[in-house]
C-alpha cells in the first residue's frame, strides 16, 4: 500500500496521538515495534517513523496501516516524511551499560544564583525511581504520587534554600534521554506544563523501557546509583539518603537488621525500672530465602571451619563453629547467587563486619578496613575453593558507595 495520500497535517495528528498515549501504548495500539533504523525528529522529540506513517495514513484515508501492511526504510517511509518537510534520522544507538552511565553523568541540571553546585532535583528523583526498579514496582508513576514522595526528598536533601519543585524533574528529566512523560495533552506539551495542568491530567513519568530493563540488572543498578552519588551527591549522608529514597538495602551487603534499642515490646517494669517477669512475645510472619545448606557445609569443609579473614577457629558445644557468608547478598536488592563461588567461611565477628561494609577485599586479594584503621592482610583461600572476582568487586563497590573518605581501592 502506498503512502502518497499522507499530508503534513496527518503526520502532526499522529505525533499528537503519540504524545498523548505515550510511546509504548501508541505502538501497542497500532501494532508496531520500536524503530530499528529511522526515527522522525520534531520539536526535539523522536518518533518511530514507520508507526507515525501508518497512523498518519489512517488519519488521511480512514485506513490505519499496521507494521505488516507496508515496508519501511529510506526509500519508503523516510522519503515520504522528508518530502512532507519532516526530519528523519537514523535511530538512536541501542542503550547499554556504558551509555546509561554516560547519560547519568551528563544530566542537564541547573545552577541557581549564588549556588555553584548543580541542582539535586534530578539526581534525587532518579535515585527514587531506581528504588522502584529495585523493588520491582511499576515503571511509570502518576504525578500525584511522584509529587507526594519526591517533594519531601527535595526539601530534605536539596541544596540549602533551594525550592522543592517536584514538577521540575518530573518534566525535565526527559532531557536525560532515559525518561518519558505520558498523558500530557499535545497543546500543553510544547513547554513545561503548569502544575495545574499536571494536577488536572495526572500524567505518568518514569524510565523508558530500555533504561528500566538495564536497571533491573543488580550490577548495572549499583553502578547507576554510584554514578549519581559520586557525580551530584558527594556531600550527602548516604545512610540517610538511601533510607529515605527506598535504597536502604544498599547500606549492607546482606540482611543485617538494626532494631531500635527501645523496642522492648512493652515489658512490665518494677518500681526500680527493671523488667518484671519473663520477656514478652509477639507473633510474626517472615519470608526467608531458602539457602543450599550443602554449599554452606562445603565451604566450611574447604576452609577447615577457619575464618578466611582473621584465621580464627571457633568452637561451640565442643564442635568447630564457623559461618558461610555470601559475598554478594541474596535477595533484594543484590540478588546474588547461592553458589560456592559467592561464599566465604567467616567467624561471626568478621561476618558482621563484612556484611556491614566495614571490611572489603581489594583487587590484589588483600582484606582492608574501609575506615583505614587496620593494616591490610591477605585473604586466605583454601585449596579447591573457587571464588568469583565479579562478586568480590560488587561487594567492594558497595563499600565504596557507603564509605566516607578515603574511598576504598
Amino acid at each position: 500500500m502506498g503512502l502518497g495520500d499522507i499530508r503534513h497535517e496527518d503526520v502532526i495528528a499522529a505525533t499528537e496521538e503519540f504524545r498523548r498515549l505515550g510511546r509504548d501504548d501508541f505502538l501497542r495500539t497500532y501494532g508496531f515495534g520500536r524503530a530499528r533504523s529511522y526515527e522522525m525528529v520534531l520539536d526535539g522529540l523522536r518518533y518511530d517513523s514507520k508507526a507515525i506513517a501508518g497512523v498518519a495514513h489512517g488519519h488521511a484515508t480512514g485506513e490505519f496501516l499496521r507494521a505488516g501492511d507496508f515496508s519501511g526504510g529510506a526509500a519508503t517511509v523516510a522519503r515520504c516524511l522528508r518530502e512532507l518537510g519532516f526530519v528523519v534520522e537514523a535511530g538512536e544507538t541501542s542503550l547499554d551499560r556504558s551509555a546509561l552511565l554516560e547519560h547519568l553523568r551528563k544530566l542537564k541540571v541547573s545552577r541557581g544564583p549564588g549556588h555553584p553546585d548543580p541542582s539535586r532535583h534530578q539526581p534525587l528523583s532518579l535515585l527514587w525511581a531506581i528504588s522502584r526498579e529495585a523493588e520491582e514496582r511499576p515503571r511509570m508513576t502518576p504525578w500525584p504520587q511522584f509529587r507526594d514522595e519526591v517533594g519531601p526528598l527535595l526539601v530534605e536533601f536539596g541544596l540549602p534554600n533551594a525550592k522543592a519543585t517536584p514538577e521540575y524533574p518530573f518534566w525535565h528529566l526527559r532531557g536525560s534521554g532515559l525518561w518519558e512523560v505520558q498523558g500530557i495533552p499535545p497543546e500543553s506539551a510544547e513547554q513545561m506544563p503548569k502544575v495545574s495542568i499536571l494536577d488536572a491530567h495526572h500524567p505518568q513519568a518514569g524510565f523508558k523501557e530500555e533504561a528500566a530493563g538495564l536497571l533491573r540488572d543488580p550490577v548495572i543498578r549499583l553502578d547507576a546509583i554510584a554514578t549519581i552519588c559520586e557525580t551530584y551527591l558527594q556531600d550527602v549522608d548516604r545512610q540517610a539518603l538511601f533510607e529515605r529514597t527506598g535504597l536502604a538495602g544498599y547500606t549492607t551487603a546482606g540482611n543485617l537488621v538494626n532494631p531500635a534499642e527501645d523496642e522492648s515490646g512493652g515489658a512490665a517494669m518494677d518500681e526500680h525500672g527493671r523488667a518484671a517477669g519473663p520477656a514478652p512475645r509477639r507473633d510474626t510472619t517472615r519470608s526467608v530465602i531458602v539457602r543450599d545448606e550443602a554449599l554452606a557445609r562445603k565451604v566450611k569443609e574447604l576452609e577447615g571451619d577457619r575464618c578466611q579473614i582473621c584465621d580464627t577457629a571457633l568452637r561451640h558445644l565442643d564442635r568447630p563453629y564457623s559461618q558461610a557468608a555470601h559475598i554478594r547478598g541474596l535477595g533484594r536488592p543484590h540478588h546474588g547467587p547461592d553458589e560456592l563461588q559467592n561464599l566465604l567461611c567467616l567467624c561471626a565477628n568478621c561476618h558482621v563486619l563484612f556484611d556491614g561494609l566495614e571490611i572489603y577485599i581489594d583487587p590484589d586479594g588483600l582484606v582492608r578496613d574501609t575506615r583505614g584503621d587496620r593494616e591490610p592482610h591477605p585473604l586466605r583461600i583454601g585449596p579447591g575453593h573457587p571464588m568469583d572476582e565479579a562478586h568480590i568487586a560488587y561487594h567492594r563497590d558497595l563499600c565504596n558507595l557507603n564509605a566516607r573518605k578515603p574511598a576504598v581501592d
Side-chain angles (χ1 to χ4, degrees), residues 107-120 159 168 231-232:
L107 296 178
K108 297 177 181 178
V109 292
S110 62
R111 286 174 167 80
H115 282 297
D117 296 326
S119 166
R120 295 174 180 171
L159 292 173
Y168 175 85
T231 307
Y232 308 100

Side-chain angles (χ1 to χ4, degrees), residues 15-16 19-20 42-43 45 47 171 174 181 183-194 197:
T15 62
E16 290 175 349
R19 292 199 301 270
R20 178 173 57 82
L42 179 64
D43 296 331
L45 299 179
Y47 301 86
W171 180 255
R174 298 182 315 151
V181 178
I184 293 292
E187 64 273 12
S188 302
E190 298 302 323
Q191 56 187 356
M192 179 176 166
K194 295 181 179 179
I197 298 293

Side-chain angles (χ1 to χ4, degrees), residues 350-367:
C350 288
H351 192 173
V352 169
L353 294 176
F354 191 83
D355 277 2
L357 308 180
E358 297 289 339
I359 53 178
Y360 67 97
I361 304 164
D362 75 10
D364 296 322
L366 297 178
V367 179

Side-chain angles (χ1 to χ4, degrees), residues 253-269:
N255 296 309
L256 290 179
V257 178
N258 298 304
E261 294 181 356
D262 61 352
E263 287 184 356
S264 61
M269 299 289 185

Side-chain angles (χ1 to χ4, degrees), residues 1 30 46 54 69 75 84 87 113 133 135 147 167 191 196 222 314 328-329 343 347 357 379 391 399 408:
M1 294 186 180
Y30 291 104
R46 306 182 78 92
D69 295 334
L84 291 172
V87 175
E133 295 299 333
E135 295 171 0
R147 175 196 61 210
E167 65 275 13
Q191 56 187 356
S196 59
L222 176 59
L314 298 174
R328 178 176 148 200
L343 284 173
C347 67
L357 308 180
L379 177 75
H391 300 323
C399 289
V408 303

Side-chain angles (χ1 to χ4, degrees), residues 86-403:
F86 295 98
V87 175
V88 180
E89 298 179 352
E92 293 180 323
T93 303
S94 179
L95 195 68
D96 59 14
R97 172 189 172 277
S98 296
L100 171 72
L101 300 182
E102 187 66 14
H103 280 294
L104 293 175
R105 292 189 191 97
K106 294 184 176 180
L107 296 178
K108 297 177 181 178
V109 292
S110 62
R111 286 174 167 80
H115 282 297
D117 296 326
S119 166
R120 295 174 180 171
H121 283 49
Q122 291 193 36
L124 290 171
S125 300
L126 287 175
L127 284 182
W128 172 85
I130 289 173
S131 77
R132 293 178 60 83
E133 295 299 333
E135 295 171 0
E136 300 175 9
R137 298 172 67 187
R139 179 174 64 89
M140 303 297 287
T141 305
W143 158 247
Q145 182 180 357
F146 184 96
R147 175 196 61 210
D148 294 345
E149 295 185 15
V150 173
L153 293 176
L154 305 183
V155 173
E156 187 171 351
F157 296 101
L159 292 173
N161 302 318
K163 294 182 179 179
T165 52
E167 65 275 13
Y168 175 85
F170 183 87
W171 180 255
H172 285 293
L173 271 170
R174 298 182 315 151
S176 69
L178 306 173
W179 189 265
E180 63 179 324
V181 178
Q182 300 176 0
I184 293 292
E187 64 273 12
S188 302
E190 298 302 323
Q191 56 187 356
M192 179 176 166
K194 295 181 179 179
V195 174
S196 59
I197 298 293
L198 300 179
D199 290 340
H201 293 277
H202 289 190
Q204 299 184 87
F207 284 111
K208 293 181 178 179
E209 269 196 352
E210 199 171 16
L214 287 172
L215 290 166
R216 294 185 192 111
D217 181 312
V219 177
I220 296 178
R221 189 165 61 236
L222 176 59
D223 288 340
I225 293 170
T227 297
I228 292 171
C229 289
E230 291 165 6
T231 307
Y232 308 100
L233 304 168
Q234 288 188 350
D235 298 328
V236 176
D237 184 330
R238 301 281 168 82
Q239 299 275 332
L241 175 63
F242 291 165
E243 185 70 34
R244 286 284 289 109
T245 52
L247 296 171
Y250 287 92
T251 60
T252 72
N255 296 309
L256 290 179
V257 178
N258 298 304
E261 294 181 356
D262 61 352
E263 287 184 356
S264 61
M269 299 289 185
D270 64 16
E271 59 182 315
H272 301 292
R274 295 173 298 193
R281 296 176 179 272
R282 63 168 177 245
D283 294 330
T284 63
T285 301
R286 291 196 306 158
S287 175
V288 297
I289 295 172
V290 178
R291 299 174 46 169
D292 188 337
E293 294 300 328
L295 284 176
R297 290 193 297 270
K298 180 66 174 177
V299 74
K300 294 177 184 181
E301 175 187 330
L302 289 172
E303 299 296 344
D305 281 298
R306 187 177 294 274
C307 179
Q308 290 180 252
I309 289 178
C310 70
D311 210 35
T312 297
L314 298 174
R315 297 188 69 81
H316 176 64
L317 298 178
D318 202 31
R319 297 176 61 182
Y321 177 79
S322 61
Q323 296 180 352
H326 285 89
I327 302 169
R328 178 176 148 200
L330 303 183
R332 295 179 185 172
H334 310 302
H335 292 292
D338 193 17
E339 61 183 18
L340 189 60
Q341 295 89 335
N342 191 34
L343 284 173
L344 292 172
C345 178
L346 302 179
C347 67
N349 187 51
C350 288
H351 192 173
V352 169
L353 294 176
F354 191 83
D355 277 2
L357 308 180
E358 297 289 339
I359 53 178
Y360 67 97
I361 304 164
D362 75 10
D364 296 322
L366 297 178
V367 179
R368 294 182 179 271
D369 180 355
T370 56
R371 301 176 188 274
D373 296 334
R374 303 179 184 179
E375 287 295 320
H377 61 277
L379 177 75
R380 185 179 54 77
I381 305 177
H385 180 186
M387 300 192 62
D388 192 331
E389 171 57 30
H391 300 323
I392 295 173
Y394 183 94
H395 178 271
R396 187 164 59 242
D397 289 344
L398 261 185
C399 289
N400 197 31
L401 179 62
N402 285 272

Side-chain angles (χ1 to χ4, degrees), residues 1-7 10 57 60-61 65 80 83-84:
M1 294 186 180
L3 303 176
D5 294 323
I6 297 176
R7 300 162 300 180
D10 300 320
H57 189 273
T61 67
L65 303 181
C80 170
E83 288 178 348
L84 291 172

